[in-house]
């Protein structure tokens, strides 16, 4: 199929450095997510899966940027799980962790304790002016920019929702603890008990880690040049 990049270099890198036996014996609950172009559903896979290495590669196969992974043995076609689940925080909470770290690969600067309204780099008007240097804005330019904005909004909403939910759980736990040391009216005690039983979750500290500077040409998420990757890695050290 047509794509901007080949999966061969990534496959070679993964096969060289990722060893299934080490993953299986690591004691870590390691999972990757994919979306099936056949069923349109999101699934997560662990090292015990017989086709895990193929699914690991598929989990990084951004549609159009990379080709999909065709699993002929299971009659399925897989792409990056971010198509349906950009930041799989629900899975992280379900694993009952002590802490959750969300690692973003594009620039995001908090505004105090809050996430910004946008993580997308702003453009100068001239970039979208058809008359600027005789350039013509194409439908593809608009589509790419729109996808960039939509993707940004989805993962920001995911993280905001998780942070807000986390804060609500924390408040419920605080009220529950207070009810155990103070005598409260039966009606309030009953409400707290019902609320706790319905939520069935607990507060987990959640940390968002992201680059603090732009990388490459306008911080494009589809740019995978070796120089840019090295620059990003060095920034994260």
């Amino acid at each position: 199929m047509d794509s901007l990049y080949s999966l061969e270099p990534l496959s070679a890198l993964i096969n060289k450095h990722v060893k299934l036996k080490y993953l299986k014996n690591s004691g870590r609950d390691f999972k990757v997510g994919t979306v099936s172009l056949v069923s349109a559903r999101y699934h997560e896979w662990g090292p015990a899966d017989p086709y895990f290495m193929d699914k690991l590669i598929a989990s990084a196969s951004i549609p159009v940027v990379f080709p999909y992974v065709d699993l002929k043995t299971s009659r399925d076609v897989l792409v990056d799980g971010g198509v349906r689940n950009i930041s799989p925080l629900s899975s992280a909470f379900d694993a009952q962790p002590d802490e959750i770290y969300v690692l973003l690969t594009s620039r995001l600067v908090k505004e105090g304790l809050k996430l910004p309204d946008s993580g997308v780099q702003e453009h100068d008007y001239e970039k979208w002016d058809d008359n600027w240097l005789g350039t013509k804005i194409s439908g593809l330019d608009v589509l790419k920019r729109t996808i960039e904005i939509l993707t940004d909004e989805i993962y920001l909403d995911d993280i905001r929702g998780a942070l807000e939910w986390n804060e609500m759980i924390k408040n419920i736990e605080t009220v529950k603890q207070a009810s155990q040391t103070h005598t409260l009216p039966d009606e309030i005690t009953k409400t707290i008990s019902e609320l706790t039983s319905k939520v069935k979750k607990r507060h987990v500290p959640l940390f968002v880690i992201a680059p603090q500077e732009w990388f490459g040409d306008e911080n494009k998420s589809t740019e995978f040049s070796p120089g840019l990757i090295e620059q990003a890695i060095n920034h994260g050290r």
Side-chain angles (χ1 to χ4, degrees), residues 176 179 187-198:
K176 183 179 178 181
S179 69
E187 185 175 341
I188 294 179
T189 302
K190 181 181 178 181
T191 301
I192 294 173
S193 178
E194 290 177 351
L195 187 59
T196 304
S197 63
K198 287 180 180 179

Side-chain angles (χ1 to χ4, degrees), residues 112-155:
L113 296 177
K114 295 183 179 180
L115 295 177
D117 292 333
S118 172
V120 178
Q121 188 171 12
E122 294 185 12
H123 286 173
D124 292 328
Y125 169 74
E126 285 75 12
K127 183 176 179 62
W128 294 95
D129 184 359
D130 271 347
N131 297 319
W132 179 251
L133 298 179
T135 58
K136 184 70 176 176
I137 304 301
S138 69
L140 181 59
D141 292 325
V142 176
L143 177 61
K144 288 166 63 178
R145 182 64 169 173
T146 302
I147 291 174
E148 182 182 16
I149 295 170
L150 283 172
T151 302
D152 176 73
E153 184 60 25
I154 291 170
Y155 81 70

Side-chain angles (χ1 to χ4, degrees), residues 70-88:
D70 188 354
L71 294 180
K72 296 185 182 300
T73 52
S74 54
R75 298 176 59 81
D76 208 354
V77 175
L78 304 179
V79 295
D80 184 354
V83 170
R84 263 199 179 276
N85 203 352
I86 291 181
S87 49

Side-chain angles (χ1 to χ4, degrees), residues 49-84:
D49 187 278
Y51 304 107
F52 177 75
M53 295 300 285
D54 290 324
K55 292 173 179 178
L56 173 59
I57 294 170
S59 72
S61 301
I62 303 171
V64 181
V65 179
F66 293 107
Y68 56 68
V69 173
D70 188 354
L71 294 180
K72 296 185 182 300
T73 52
S74 54
R75 298 176 59 81
D76 208 354
V77 175
L78 304 179
V79 295
D80 184 354
V83 170
R84 263 199 179 276

